[in-house]
Amino acid sequence: MGAEQGTSTNQSVERAAAVLAAFHDGRPLRVADVSSRAGLGQSTTSRMLATLESLEYVERDADSGLYRLGTGLITLAGSALNQHPVYRASRRHAQEAAAQLGLGVNVSVLHRGTVFYLANYEGALAPKSMTLAGQRNALHATGMGKCLLVGTTRDQRRAMLPELPRFTGRTVGSHEGLDAQIELVVERGYATEVEELALGRACVAAPIRDAAGEVVAAISISGALSAIDLDNREGELAGRVIETADEVSTALGYAGPTVHPHHAGQDTAPSRTSGGVAR
């Protein structure tokens, strides 16, 4: 393949990716909308959409003429999830926790300086009309993000997160504040987040480790403030999220020290194993 042909092929792939990325918010779009979002001419966009439609990566509604993402991408996404060891190890445990607690349970990994959601499961008290899988959130403003940062140094965090934007009045806005929160996660084995990312929401999260003992993922229990009720349930929910994180870590081959949570329903938070490493 010559250099000119290779460049042309790369441009085609980049354009196709830009067209698909135009649907990031899940709304059906007109050709003109896709063209504007992708930064391509309408004729180029039309050709790209026609090709992607033939591959089932987009679909066109016959009545409205609007395009949406197609079933071919669901097949690829399902394959990607099923190949991910954290997703496979966490699926059953996260589902059980969501069903038993009635709250949302989320699993994520650190990806390019963000919380990347692998899965979310809904309990009866935390219904959602959409899936969070594949979406991203800020590390410093989420319970899972604080857990994912366990094991990083202060310098690494400052390089990874040069800015700490505020989403609400409760969002941590300084690296010194974030350092303190991560130290607290290390000390007690779990993180909390109350209205730091969005008003009216809260969560309790814990880190997940692999066979080498490295933090490779995080899991959270989340929901509305009234459903989470941290004033009365922090010990119970922290114990459950740590227990679930331990189950997933064990499935990934982790055999190191674990946190032993107090019995569910106690008002106190879980404590570290004597001489052990906080999870």
Side-chain angles (χ1 to χ4, degrees):
M1 179 185 291
E4 185 176 337
Q5 184 178 355
T7 300
S8 176
T9 301
N10 289 341
Q11 287 179 342
S12 295
V13 172
E14 290 171 354
R15 288 171 175 174
V19 167
L20 292 174
F23 295 89
H24 65 89
D25 59 5
R27 291 194 302 114
L29 300 173
R30 301 173 301 164
V31 174
D33 298 326
V34 178
S35 172
S36 176
R37 292 186 176 193
L40 300 171
Q42 288 204 34
S43 60
T44 299
T45 301
S46 294
R47 290 196 302 272
M48 286 288 175
L49 286 169
T51 300
L52 292 169
E53 185 178 11
S54 71
L55 297 171
E56 298 185 345
Y57 292 162
V58 298
E59 298 173 347
R60 181 177 179 273
D61 184 90
D63 294 327
S64 67
L66 297 178
Y67 285 89
R68 61 174 177 266
L69 295 177
T71 54
L73 291 177
I74 298 175
T75 302
L76 290 178
S79 297
L81 279 175
N82 289 330
Q83 291 171 15
H84 202 291
V86 171
Y87 176 80
R88 293 200 309 270
S90 66
R91 186 171 179 269
R92 176 173 66 85
H93 302 294
Q95 283 181 320
E96 288 177 354
Q100 292 170 6
L101 294 170
L103 297 169
V105 176
N106 312 292
V107 180
S108 69
V109 294
L110 174 61
H111 183 67
R112 295 188 177 181
T114 66
V115 174
F116 184 88
Y117 288 79
L118 287 181
N120 71 287
Y121 303 99
E122 303 168 22
L125 302 178
K128 282 189 182 342
S129 60
M130 62 178 183
T131 180
L132 291 175
Q135 296 189 28
R136 305 167 191 265
N137 264 326
L139 287 164
H140 69 289
T142 57
M144 288 193 295
K146 296 167 194 174
C147 292
L148 291 169
L149 289 171
V150 168
T152 61
T153 66
R154 296 187 177 196
D155 288 343
Q156 287 172 333
R157 291 194 288 273
R158 283 155 177 75
M160 186 189 309
L161 305 171
E163 303 291 335
L164 300 178
R166 290 184 180 272
F167 299 95
T168 75
R170 291 176 174 264
T171 308
V172 61
S174 70
H175 278 286
E176 292 74 20
L178 182 60
D179 293 340
Q181 292 194 17
I182 293 170
E183 288 172 7
L184 187 59
V185 176
V186 174
E187 178 183 344
R188 63 186 185 180
Y190 72 96
T192 60
E193 180 261 306
V194 181
E195 295 189 305
E196 294 176 43
L197 183 67
L199 296 177
R201 307 286 300 177
C203 83
V204 179
I208 293 169
R209 297 180 184 269
D210 64 7
E214 299 296 326
V215 174
V216 293
I219 187 166
S220 73
I221 297 170
S222 65
L225 287 178
S226 58
I228 291 290
D229 189 17
L230 282 185
D231 287 342
N232 297 306
R233 299 185 68 189
E234 182 172 343
E236 171 200 351
L237 295 178
R240 182 56 190 269
V241 79
I242 289 172
E243 180 182 6
T244 306
D246 282 342
E247 291 171 341
V248 179
S249 297
T250 299
L252 290 171
Y254 180 65
T258 59
V259 173
H260 296 293
H262 291 288
H263 294 295
Q266 281 191 227
D267 292 333
T268 54
S271 61
R272 288 189 292 174
T273 310
S274 177
V277 178
R279 292 289 306 282

